[in-house]
Amino acid sequence: MSAVNRQVRLARRPVGEVRDEDWEQVVEPVGVPGPGQFLGRTRYVSLDPAMRGWLDDRPSYLPPVGIGEVMRAGSVVEVVASEHPEFRPGDHVVGAFGVQDYVVSDGKGALRVDPSLAPLSTYLGALGMPGMTAYFGLLEVGALKEGETVVVSGAAGAVGTMVGQIARVKGCRVVGIAGGAEKCALLTGELGFDAAIDYRSEDVRKALRTHAPDGIDVYFDNVGGAILDAALTRLAMRARVVVCGAISQYNNETAVQGPSNYLSLLVRRARMEGFVVFDYARRYTEASREIAGWIADGRIRVKEHVVEGTVGDFPATLQMLFRGENTGKLVLRLT
Amino acid sequence: MSAVNRQVRLARRPVGEVRDEDWEQVVEPVGVPGPGQFLGRTRYVSLDPAMRGWLDDRPSYLPPVGIGEVMRAGSVVEVVASEHPEFRPGDHVVGAFGVQDYVVSDGKGALRVDPSLAPLSTYLGALGMPGMTAYFGLLEVGALKEGETVVVSGAAGAVGTMVGQIARVKGCRVVGIAGGAEKCALLTGELGFDAAIDYRSEDVRKALRTHAPDGIDVYFDNVGGAILDAALTRLAMRARVVVCGAISQYNNETAVQGPSNYLSLLVRRARMEGFVVFDYARRYTEASREIAGWIADGRIRVKEHVVEGTVGDFPATLQMLFRGENTGKLVLRLT
């Protein structure tokens, strides 16, 4: 056990792409848990596209990470000492513990997880926020019905792989949009998507005409930009566009590219709706139980991209998301 | 009674602003009604922003007006001859009879109206499509609830004046956005809006902060462009953005300006939804009865902008809409 707590803190607000200089690597003494607290050692750190938004100083669904603060991140920690009645040494706990080796926590918002039921990393992916996001975004916001056509962008990512597979479980036709032949092969091969569109080599609009000939009933958008615009041209009547994210726009130094084709919402009597997964927190247990069942019976395959390293590898690993270098849920395993 | 039927036909597809050369003025013999038909003489022609969209050759909620076809328009005609069992000479009928002096109709989609209950022009405005659009857009698509804050753009137009007044009837705070001091004075004076924003002289975003301090619950958009973007920055949680039109964009020669701030839908868990009023056709009677009641008891005031002229004045009158020169419902009264 190292005697120090390495942390990644936000040094300054990035402009456009996040640079090394935007981070500060700090070494602190390991904290000591007081009454009602536990000390956790980080095992896995989650990397999420949403993190880019947390770095900007503008009103959003969470306050921005402050300059000088430890970077916010979901992680799985192992309890190494505890003065908390509900968490004992050896327990594994998931929570927003930040990018650091150790955390002292009062257990608020933390959840004990069972490593014998699923690999620890899965609690940051299929059974964590991305899984919840896919589940509630598709079924609640998207109001998915059996037999509909679902298109998901960022399809090979943490959320996208789950959206597509849940839609398949629900008896829908699923088309994924992803970057590169390898990712597309994964979608239609291993993950059972009906079709995949490689936005790097294909005309997405034309490909959607081929693969969603009757129009798109639910478009689950993780990317924004030109792909959102292409999808808007192919909506079926009363389609639902689920706004989950816009990774293509997060590093913009200029204004976000608004969807030029938004008037198709009028023509197709469609809606575009945003959501934040935290609003469904009271139903996470129900959702993760259902997803765990689908994983258990083989109807959903968990895709994870595990990078091994130290806390100091967080900045470089985060970049992978914006370069499309991950397939499935990206996590940093602290070694 | 003139012995000829003057018509305005589409000569070619306009690019950007509609030009005189895009129209063709034709004189034809007056038609003779056959069995099951009537002959109507046009009294009032409706002018609507949506007309610009009907001139473009692209998929929409109605087929485009064909080159060489009489321009599509709602109008009120007086029956002058009839071989139709349900329409008698002297009856007044509203329908999509086109920009022409006379029409031969089989009565399909036509509705007899009573000039003793409301001026004929009102059947093209408050009791016609604009009234229906405001009513169903606000109450059904916008799912308006008492006590909410409503913002409407194009507020001094045919739909906008009705949206604001219906929202007031429903016990809501209403802010109108319009161009020019005169229109704004009308909104807060005669029409009872709580506040008005003059987009020509005010910073709309800042003014919305003042007049909708708790955020916008329902934003009813008739204009698109920069004003839509400003409204998106001020949405309340679970806000509804009703996409009714985008008059600021209809004459674009380049792509429509998409709403750059659409990601506020995510942050505010809000939705943006389009609709086409025709979908509510079966409920027009119910809605116009309710609106007529509000007019009768003085809670809603009918604003009409009547231009007197001939069929040949249609092209110039249509331009007024895109220059913001009308206040309330714009109609051409044939003299």
Side-chain angles (χ1 to χ4, degrees), chain B residues 1-32:
Chain B
M1 195 207 278
S2 79
V4 294
N5 181 23
R6 284 167 298 184
Q7 305 175 318
V8 171
R9 292 173 175 258
L10 183 64
R12 61 174 197 190
R13 303 234 164 264
V15 177
E17 204 172 309
V18 188
R19 287 175 182 74
D20 282 349
E21 310 88 86
D22 300 327
W23 305 109
E24 185 183 12
Q25 310 232 3
V26 175
V27 176
E28 278 203 342
V30 174
V32 177

PDB file of all heavy atoms in Angstrom, chain B residues 1-32:
ATOM      1  N   MET B   1     -70.652  41.087 -60.919  1.00  0.00           N
ATOM      2  CA  MET B   1     -69.802  39.872 -60.931  1.00  0.00           C
ATOM      3  C   MET B   1     -68.918  39.879 -62.184  1.00  0.00           C
ATOM      4  O   MET B   1     -69.403  40.022 -63.298  1.00  0.00           O
ATOM      5  CB  MET B   1     -70.709  38.612 -60.952  1.00  0.00           C
ATOM      6  CG  MET B   1     -69.964  37.336 -60.603  1.00  0.00           C
ATOM      7  SD  MET B   1     -70.730  35.914 -61.355  1.00  0.00           S
ATOM      8  CE  MET B   1     -72.069  35.554 -60.231  1.00  0.00           C
ATOM      9  N   SER B   2     -67.644  39.775 -61.984  1.00  0.00           N
ATOM     10  CA  SER B   2     -66.744  39.753 -63.151  1.00  0.00           C
ATOM     11  C   SER B   2     -66.917  38.421 -63.854  1.00  0.00           C
ATOM     12  O   SER B   2     -67.249  37.398 -63.237  1.00  0.00           O
ATOM     13  CB  SER B   2     -65.295  39.948 -62.704  1.00  0.00           C
ATOM     14  OG  SER B   2     -64.774  38.743 -62.204  1.00  0.00           O
ATOM     15  N   ALA B   3     -66.701  38.426 -65.132  1.00  0.00           N
ATOM     16  CA  ALA B   3     -66.937  37.216 -65.912  1.00  0.00           C
ATOM     17  C   ALA B   3     -65.673  36.369 -66.024  1.00  0.00           C
ATOM     18  O   ALA B   3     -65.704  35.323 -66.657  1.00  0.00           O
ATOM     19  CB  ALA B   3     -67.456  37.587 -67.291  1.00  0.00           C
ATOM     20  N   VAL B   4     -64.592  36.826 -65.428  1.00  0.00           N
ATOM     21  CA  VAL B   4     -63.351  36.067 -65.544  1.00  0.00           C
ATOM     22  C   VAL B   4     -62.825  35.682 -64.158  1.00  0.00           C
ATOM     23  O   VAL B   4     -63.202  36.266 -63.140  1.00  0.00           O
ATOM     24  CB  VAL B   4     -62.264  36.866 -66.292  1.00  0.00           C
ATOM     25  CG1 VAL B   4     -62.666  37.084 -67.740  1.00  0.00           C
ATOM     26  CG2 VAL B   4     -61.988  38.185 -65.573  1.00  0.00           C
ATOM     27  N   ASN B   5     -62.001  34.684 -64.160  1.00  0.00           N
ATOM     28  CA  ASN B   5     -61.395  34.193 -62.925  1.00  0.00           C
ATOM     29  C   ASN B   5     -59.903  34.516 -62.950  1.00  0.00           C
ATOM     30  O   ASN B   5     -59.120  33.865 -63.636  1.00  0.00           O
ATOM     31  CB  ASN B   5     -61.617  32.678 -62.818  1.00  0.00           C
ATOM     32  CG  ASN B   5     -61.024  32.109 -61.546  1.00  0.00           C
ATOM     33  OD1 ASN B   5     -60.827  32.844 -60.571  1.00  0.00           O
ATOM     34  ND2 ASN B   5     -60.726  30.824 -61.572  1.00  0.00           N
ATOM     35  N   ARG B   6     -59.527  35.556 -62.181  1.00  0.00           N
ATOM     36  CA  ARG B   6     -58.109  35.881 -62.076  1.00  0.00           C
ATOM     37  C   ARG B   6     -57.461  34.934 -61.057  1.00  0.00           C
ATOM     38  O   ARG B   6     -58.048  34.678 -59.996  1.00  0.00           O
ATOM     39  CB  ARG B   6     -57.932  37.336 -61.634  1.00  0.00           C
ATOM     40  CG  ARG B   6     -58.211  38.321 -62.774  1.00  0.00           C
ATOM     41  CD  ARG B   6     -58.353  39.737 -62.228  1.00  0.00           C
ATOM     42  NE  ARG B   6     -59.487  39.796 -61.304  1.00  0.00           N
ATOM     43  CZ  ARG B   6     -59.923  40.916 -60.723  1.00  0.00           C
ATOM     44  NH1 ARG B   6     -59.309  42.060 -60.949  1.00  0.00           N
ATOM     45  NH2 ARG B   6     -60.961  40.893 -59.910  1.00  0.00           N
ATOM     46  N   GLN B   7     -56.296  34.473 -61.407  1.00  0.00           N
ATOM     47  CA  GLN B   7     -55.600  33.519 -60.533  1.00  0.00           C
ATOM     48  C   GLN B   7     -54.144  33.927 -60.372  1.00  0.00           C
ATOM     49  O   GLN B   7     -53.566  34.552 -61.257  1.00  0.00           O
ATOM     50  CB  GLN B   7     -55.609  32.111 -61.150  1.00  0.00           C
ATOM     51  CG  GLN B   7     -56.973  31.590 -61.501  1.00  0.00           C
ATOM     52  CD  GLN B   7     -56.878  30.258 -62.213  1.00  0.00           C
ATOM     53  OE1 GLN B   7     -56.013  30.069 -63.074  1.00  0.00           O
ATOM     54  NE2 GLN B   7     -57.769  29.344 -61.846  1.00  0.00           N
ATOM     55  N   VAL B   8     -53.562  33.526 -59.245  1.00  0.00           N
ATOM     56  CA  VAL B   8     -52.103  33.620 -59.086  1.00  0.00           C
ATOM     57  C   VAL B   8     -51.569  32.196 -59.074  1.00  0.00           C
ATOM     58  O   VAL B   8     -51.974  31.374 -58.240  1.00  0.00           O
ATOM     59  CB  VAL B   8     -51.706  34.365 -57.802  1.00  0.00           C
ATOM     60  CG1 VAL B   8     -50.209  34.256 -57.554  1.00  0.00           C
ATOM     61  CG2 VAL B   8     -52.129  35.823 -57.884  1.00  0.00           C
ATOM     62  N   ARG B   9     -50.714  31.920 -60.013  1.00  0.00           N
ATOM     63  CA  ARG B   9     -50.110  30.581 -60.121  1.00  0.00           C
ATOM     64  C   ARG B   9     -48.605  30.665 -59.866  1.00  0.00           C
ATOM     65  O   ARG B   9     -48.001  31.716 -60.054  1.00  0.00           O
ATOM     66  CB  ARG B   9     -50.356  30.005 -61.527  1.00  0.00           C
ATOM     67  CG  ARG B   9     -51.828  29.694 -61.788  1.00  0.00           C
ATOM     68  CD  ARG B   9     -52.069  29.298 -63.239  1.00  0.00           C
ATOM     69  NE  ARG B   9     -53.450  28.897 -63.456  1.00  0.00           N
ATOM     70  CZ  ARG B   9     -53.853  27.620 -63.545  1.00  0.00           C
ATOM     71  NH1 ARG B   9     -52.967  26.641 -63.447  1.00  0.00           N
ATOM     72  NH2 ARG B   9     -55.131  27.323 -63.723  1.00  0.00           N
ATOM     73  N   LEU B  10     -48.053  29.540 -59.455  1.00  0.00           N
ATOM     74  CA  LEU B  10     -46.610  29.503 -59.214  1.00  0.00           C
ATOM     75  C   LEU B  10     -45.902  29.313 -60.555  1.00  0.00           C
ATOM     76  O   LEU B  10     -46.134  28.325 -61.258  1.00  0.00           O
ATOM     77  CB  LEU B  10     -46.260  28.356 -58.255  1.00  0.00           C
ATOM     78  CG  LEU B  10     -44.789  28.263 -57.858  1.00  0.00           C
ATOM     79  CD1 LEU B  10     -44.336  29.489 -57.068  1.00  0.00           C
ATOM     80  CD2 LEU B  10     -44.530  26.995 -57.035  1.00  0.00           C
ATOM     81  N   ALA B  11     -45.040  30.267 -60.917  1.00  0.00           N
ATOM     82  CA  ALA B  11     -44.348  30.189 -62.210  1.00  0.00           C
ATOM     83  C   ALA B  11     -43.043  29.413 -62.092  1.00  0.00           C
ATOM     84  O   ALA B  11     -42.648  28.689 -63.008  1.00  0.00           O
ATOM     85  CB  ALA B  11     -44.073  31.598 -62.734  1.00  0.00           C
ATOM     86  N   ARG B  12     -42.384  29.552 -60.973  1.00  0.00           N
ATOM     87  CA  ARG B  12     -41.107  28.849 -60.790  1.00  0.00           C
ATOM     88  C   ARG B  12     -40.797  28.826 -59.287  1.00  0.00           C
ATOM     89  O   ARG B  12     -41.386  29.578 -58.516  1.00  0.00           O
ATOM     90  CB  ARG B  12     -39.987  29.561 -61.555  1.00  0.00           C
ATOM     91  CG  ARG B  12     -39.771  30.980 -61.068  1.00  0.00           C
ATOM     92  CD  ARG B  12     -38.582  31.668 -61.697  1.00  0.00           C
ATOM     93  NE  ARG B  12     -38.226  32.827 -60.893  1.00  0.00           N
ATOM     94  CZ  ARG B  12     -37.349  33.761 -61.250  1.00  0.00           C
ATOM     95  NH1 ARG B  12     -36.728  33.664 -62.408  1.00  0.00           N
ATOM     96  NH2 ARG B  12     -37.081  34.776 -60.451  1.00  0.00           N
ATOM     97  N   ARG B  13     -39.890  27.979 -58.899  1.00  0.00           N
ATOM     98  CA  ARG B  13     -39.550  27.857 -57.477  1.00  0.00           C
ATOM     99  C   ARG B  13     -38.678  29.030 -57.042  1.00  0.00           C
ATOM    100  O   ARG B  13     -37.619  29.260 -57.621  1.00  0.00           O
ATOM    101  CB  ARG B  13     -38.808  26.560 -57.187  1.00  0.00           C
ATOM    102  CG  ARG B  13     -39.571  25.324 -57.610  1.00  0.00           C
ATOM    103  CD  ARG B  13     -39.750  24.293 -56.517  1.00  0.00           C
ATOM    104  NE  ARG B  13     -40.790  23.363 -56.926  1.00  0.00           N
ATOM    105  CZ  ARG B  13     -42.063  23.443 -56.579  1.00  0.00           C
ATOM    106  NH1 ARG B  13     -42.465  24.420 -55.771  1.00  0.00           N
ATOM    107  NH2 ARG B  13     -42.954  22.583 -56.998  1.00  0.00           N
ATOM    108  N   PRO B  14     -39.111  29.751 -56.030  1.00  0.00           N
ATOM    109  CA  PRO B  14     -38.281  30.860 -55.567  1.00  0.00           C
ATOM    110  C   PRO B  14     -36.999  30.355 -54.901  1.00  0.00           C
ATOM    111  O   PRO B  14     -36.969  29.276 -54.319  1.00  0.00           O
ATOM    112  CB  PRO B  14     -39.165  31.575 -54.540  1.00  0.00           C
ATOM    113  CG  PRO B  14     -40.249  30.627 -54.179  1.00  0.00           C
ATOM    114  CD  PRO B  14     -40.372  29.617 -55.274  1.00  0.00           C
ATOM    115  N   VAL B  15     -35.968  31.161 -55.014  1.00  0.00           N
ATOM    116  CA  VAL B  15     -34.727  30.924 -54.259  1.00  0.00           C
ATOM    117  C   VAL B  15     -34.602  32.091 -53.292  1.00  0.00           C
ATOM    118  O   VAL B  15     -34.569  33.238 -53.707  1.00  0.00           O
ATOM    119  CB  VAL B  15     -33.511  30.875 -55.199  1.00  0.00           C
ATOM    120  CG1 VAL B  15     -32.225  30.694 -54.392  1.00  0.00           C
ATOM    121  CG2 VAL B  15     -33.683  29.753 -56.213  1.00  0.00           C
ATOM    122  N   GLY B  16     -34.609  31.797 -52.000  1.00  0.00           N
ATOM    123  CA  GLY B  16     -34.589  32.890 -51.021  1.00  0.00           C
ATOM    124  C   GLY B  16     -35.922  33.620 -51.028  1.00  0.00           C
ATOM    125  O   GLY B  16     -36.997  32.992 -51.125  1.00  0.00           O
ATOM    126  N   GLU B  17     -35.857  34.941 -50.981  1.00  0.00           N
ATOM    127  CA  GLU B  17     -37.077  35.751 -50.963  1.00  0.00           C
ATOM    128  C   GLU B  17     -37.893  35.512 -52.241  1.00  0.00           C
ATOM    129  O   GLU B  17     -37.328  35.373 -53.328  1.00  0.00           O
ATOM    130  CB  GLU B  17     -36.659  37.225 -50.871  1.00  0.00           C
ATOM    131  CG  GLU B  17     -37.730  38.120 -50.273  1.00  0.00           C
ATOM    132  CD  GLU B  17     -37.190  39.523 -50.030  1.00  0.00           C
ATOM    133  OE1 GLU B  17     -36.117  39.656 -49.387  1.00  0.00           O
ATOM    134  OE2 GLU B  17     -37.841  40.479 -50.462  1.00  0.00           O
ATOM    135  N   VAL B  18     -39.201  35.479 -52.106  1.00  0.00           N
ATOM    136  CA  VAL B  18     -40.065  35.268 -53.271  1.00  0.00           C
ATOM    137  C   VAL B  18     -40.089  36.550 -54.101  1.00  0.00           C
ATOM    138  O   VAL B  18     -40.250  37.648 -53.571  1.00  0.00           O
ATOM    139  CB  VAL B  18     -41.500  34.903 -52.828  1.00  0.00           C
ATOM    140  CG1 VAL B  18     -42.330  34.495 -54.048  1.00  0.00           C
ATOM    141  CG2 VAL B  18     -41.486  33.771 -51.805  1.00  0.00           C
ATOM    142  N   ARG B  19     -39.901  36.402 -55.412  1.00  0.00           N
ATOM    143  CA  ARG B  19     -39.877  37.564 -56.303  1.00  0.00           C
ATOM    144  C   ARG B  19     -41.121  37.578 -57.182  1.00  0.00           C
ATOM    145  O   ARG B  19     -41.763  36.545 -57.370  1.00  0.00           O
ATOM    146  CB  ARG B  19     -38.630  37.499 -57.184  1.00  0.00           C
ATOM    147  CG  ARG B  19     -37.353  37.802 -56.420  1.00  0.00           C
ATOM    148  CD  ARG B  19     -36.101  37.616 -57.270  1.00  0.00           C
ATOM    149  NE  ARG B  19     -34.914  37.879 -56.448  1.00  0.00           N
ATOM    150  CZ  ARG B  19     -34.446  37.041 -55.509  1.00  0.00           C
ATOM    151  NH1 ARG B  19     -35.046  35.877 -55.283  1.00  0.00           N
ATOM    152  NH2 ARG B  19     -33.385  37.364 -54.791  1.00  0.00           N
ATOM    153  N   ASP B  20     -41.411  38.733 -57.737  1.00  0.00           N
ATOM    154  CA  ASP B  20     -42.566  38.866 -58.628  1.00  0.00           C
ATOM    155  C   ASP B  20     -42.520  37.843 -59.766  1.00  0.00           C
ATOM    156  O   ASP B  20     -43.552  37.293 -60.162  1.00  0.00           O
ATOM    157  CB  ASP B  20     -42.597  40.281 -59.225  1.00  0.00           C
ATOM    158  CG  ASP B  20     -43.142  41.294 -58.220  1.00  0.00           C
ATOM    159  OD1 ASP B  20     -43.680  40.862 -57.169  1.00  0.00           O
ATOM    160  OD2 ASP B  20     -43.023  42.507 -58.473  1.00  0.00           O
ATOM    161  N   GLU B  21     -41.310  37.612 -60.282  1.00  0.00           N
ATOM    162  CA  GLU B  21     -41.179  36.696 -61.421  1.00  0.00           C
ATOM    163  C   GLU B  21     -41.491  35.248 -61.051  1.00  0.00           C
ATOM    164  O   GLU B  21     -41.589  34.395 -61.918  1.00  0.00           O
ATOM    165  CB  GLU B  21     -39.760  36.736 -61.990  1.00  0.00           C
ATOM    166  CG  GLU B  21     -39.219  38.126 -62.273  1.00  0.00           C
ATOM    167  CD  GLU B  21     -38.519  38.732 -61.049  1.00  0.00           C
ATOM    168  OE1 GLU B  21     -37.328  38.474 -60.857  1.00  0.00           O
ATOM    169  OE2 GLU B  21     -39.215  39.449 -60.269  1.00  0.00           O
ATOM    170  N   ASP B  22     -41.597  34.972 -59.742  1.00  0.00           N
ATOM    171  CA  ASP B  22     -41.913  33.597 -59.337  1.00  0.00           C
ATOM    172  C   ASP B  22     -43.404  33.297 -59.517  1.00  0.00           C
ATOM    173  O   ASP B  22     -43.825  32.147 -59.433  1.00  0.00           O
ATOM    174  CB  ASP B  22     -41.495  33.379 -57.881  1.00  0.00           C
ATOM    175  CG  ASP B  22     -40.002  33.593 -57.672  1.00  0.00           C
ATOM    176  OD1 ASP B  22     -39.233  33.294 -58.619  1.00  0.00           O
ATOM    177  OD2 ASP B  22     -39.604  34.068 -56.597  1.00  0.00           O
ATOM    178  N   TRP B  23     -44.180  34.334 -59.738  1.00  0.00           N
ATOM    179  CA  TRP B  23     -45.623  34.177 -59.898  1.00  0.00           C
ATOM    180  C   TRP B  23     -46.038  34.460 -61.332  1.00  0.00           C
ATOM    181  O   TRP B  23     -45.376  35.189 -62.045  1.00  0.00           O
ATOM    182  CB  TRP B  23     -46.383  35.157 -58.990  1.00  0.00           C
ATOM    183  CG  TRP B  23     -46.024  35.073 -57.550  1.00  0.00           C
ATOM    184  CD1 TRP B  23     -45.325  35.994 -56.826  1.00  0.00           C
ATOM    185  CD2 TRP B  23     -46.360  34.027 -56.635  1.00  0.00           C
ATOM    186  NE1 TRP B  23     -45.202  35.600 -55.529  1.00  0.00           N
ATOM    187  CE2 TRP B  23     -45.826  34.384 -55.369  1.00  0.00           C
ATOM    188  CE3 TRP B  23     -47.053  32.819 -56.739  1.00  0.00           C
ATOM    189  CZ2 TRP B  23     -45.965  33.582 -54.244  1.00  0.00           C
ATOM    190  CZ3 TRP B  23     -47.187  32.026 -55.627  1.00  0.00           C
ATOM    191  CH2 TRP B  23     -46.654  32.388 -54.396  1.00  0.00           C
ATOM    192  N   GLU B  24     -47.188  33.896 -61.658  1.00  0.00           N
ATOM    193  CA  GLU B  24     -47.762  34.120 -62.970  1.00  0.00           C
ATOM    194  C   GLU B  24     -49.208  34.509 -62.722  1.00  0.00           C
ATOM    195  O   GLU B  24     -49.915  33.822 -61.974  1.00  0.00           O
ATOM    196  CB  GLU B  24     -47.679  32.790 -63.736  1.00  0.00           C
ATOM    197  CG  GLU B  24     -48.111  32.814 -65.161  1.00  0.00           C
ATOM    198  CD  GLU B  24     -48.039  31.399 -65.762  1.00  0.00           C
ATOM    199  OE1 GLU B  24     -47.870  30.428 -64.983  1.00  0.00           O
ATOM    200  OE2 GLU B  24     -48.184  31.284 -66.971  1.00  0.00           O
ATOM    201  N   GLN B  25     -49.642  35.591 -63.318  1.00  0.00           N
ATOM    202  CA  GLN B  25     -51.034  35.994 -63.147  1.00  0.00           C
ATOM    203  C   GLN B  25     -51.799  35.540 -64.393  1.00  0.00           C
ATOM    204  O   GLN B  25     -51.421  35.875 -65.518  1.00  0.00           O
ATOM    205  CB  GLN B  25     -51.126  37.497 -62.933  1.00  0.00           C
ATOM    206  CG  GLN B  25     -50.155  37.962 -61.849  1.00  0.00           C
ATOM    207  CD  GLN B  25     -50.806  38.796 -60.766  1.00  0.00           C
ATOM    208  OE1 GLN B  25     -52.020  39.017 -60.752  1.00  0.00           O
ATOM    209  NE2 GLN B  25     -49.994  39.278 -59.827  1.00  0.00           N
ATOM    210  N   VAL B  26     -52.847  34.789 -64.169  1.00  0.00           N
ATOM    211  CA  VAL B  26     -53.564  34.139 -65.260  1.00  0.00           C
ATOM    212  C   VAL B  26     -55.034  34.551 -65.183  1.00  0.00           C
ATOM    213  O   VAL B  26     -55.572  34.733 -64.092  1.00  0.00           O
ATOM    214  CB  VAL B  26     -53.452  32.601 -65.131  1.00  0.00           C
ATOM    215  CG1 VAL B  26     -54.289  31.883 -66.169  1.00  0.00           C
ATOM    216  CG2 VAL B  26     -51.986  32.174 -65.237  1.00  0.00           C
ATOM    217  N   VAL B  27     -55.663  34.699 -66.334  1.00  0.00           N
ATOM    218  CA  VAL B  27     -57.106  34.958 -66.358  1.00  0.00           C
ATOM    219  C   VAL B  27     -57.773  33.805 -67.093  1.00  0.00           C
ATOM    220  O   VAL B  27     -57.375  33.461 -68.211  1.00  0.00           O
ATOM    221  CB  VAL B  27     -57.423  36.298 -67.056  1.00  0.00           C
ATOM    222  CG1 VAL B  27     -58.929  36.492 -67.146  1.00  0.00           C
ATOM    223  CG2 VAL B  27     -56.779  37.445 -66.292  1.00  0.00           C
ATOM    224  N   GLU B  28     -58.743  33.216 -66.456  1.00  0.00           N
ATOM    225  CA  GLU B  28     -59.438  32.052 -67.022  1.00  0.00           C
ATOM    226  C   GLU B  28     -60.931  32.336 -67.041  1.00  0.00           C
ATOM    227  O   GLU B  28     -61.405  33.183 -66.287  1.00  0.00           O
ATOM    228  CB  GLU B  28     -59.234  30.845 -66.098  1.00  0.00           C
ATOM    229  CG  GLU B  28     -57.937  30.119 -66.290  1.00  0.00           C
ATOM    230  CD  GLU B  28     -58.053  28.669 -65.783  1.00  0.00           C
ATOM    231  OE1 GLU B  28     -58.995  28.386 -65.015  1.00  0.00           O
ATOM    232  OE2 GLU B  28     -57.209  27.857 -66.171  1.00  0.00           O
ATOM    233  N   PRO B  29     -61.667  31.595 -67.824  1.00  0.00           N
ATOM    234  CA  PRO B  29     -63.131  31.715 -67.706  1.00  0.00           C
ATOM    235  C   PRO B  29     -63.563  31.165 -66.346  1.00  0.00           C
ATOM    236  O   PRO B  29     -62.911  30.273 -65.798  1.00  0.00           O
ATOM    237  CB  PRO B  29     -63.667  30.825 -68.831  1.00  0.00           C
ATOM    238  CG  PRO B  29     -62.489  30.386 -69.624  1.00  0.00           C
ATOM    239  CD  PRO B  29     -61.243  30.630 -68.847  1.00  0.00           C
ATOM    240  N   VAL B  30     -64.620  31.721 -65.820  1.00  0.00           N
ATOM    241  CA  VAL B  30     -65.160  31.217 -64.567  1.00  0.00           C
ATOM    242  C   VAL B  30     -65.693  29.806 -64.798  1.00  0.00           C
ATOM    243  O   VAL B  30     -66.355  29.541 -65.810  1.00  0.00           O
ATOM    244  CB  VAL B  30     -66.283  32.160 -64.074  1.00  0.00           C
ATOM    245  CG1 VAL B  30     -66.969  31.582 -62.845  1.00  0.00           C
ATOM    246  CG2 VAL B  30     -65.711  33.536 -63.780  1.00  0.00           C
ATOM    247  N   GLY B  31     -65.382  28.907 -63.879  1.00  0.00           N
ATOM    248  CA  GLY B  31     -65.811  27.521 -64.030  1.00  0.00           C
ATOM    249  C   GLY B  31     -67.310  27.344 -63.828  1.00  0.00           C
ATOM    250  O   GLY B  31     -67.985  28.223 -63.290  1.00  0.00           O
ATOM    251  N   VAL B  32     -67.808  26.217 -64.273  1.00  0.00           N
ATOM    252  CA  VAL B  32     -69.239  25.914 -64.111  1.00  0.00           C
ATOM    253  C   VAL B  32     -69.354  24.668 -63.237  1.00  0.00           C
ATOM    254  O   VAL B  32     -68.747  23.645 -63.548  1.00  0.00           O
ATOM    255  CB  VAL B  32     -69.913  25.671 -65.486  1.00  0.00           C
ATOM    256  CG1 VAL B  32     -71.374  25.277 -65.305  1.00  0.00           C
ATOM    257  CG2 VAL B  32     -69.777  26.904 -66.357  1.00  0.00           C
TER     258      VAL B  32
END
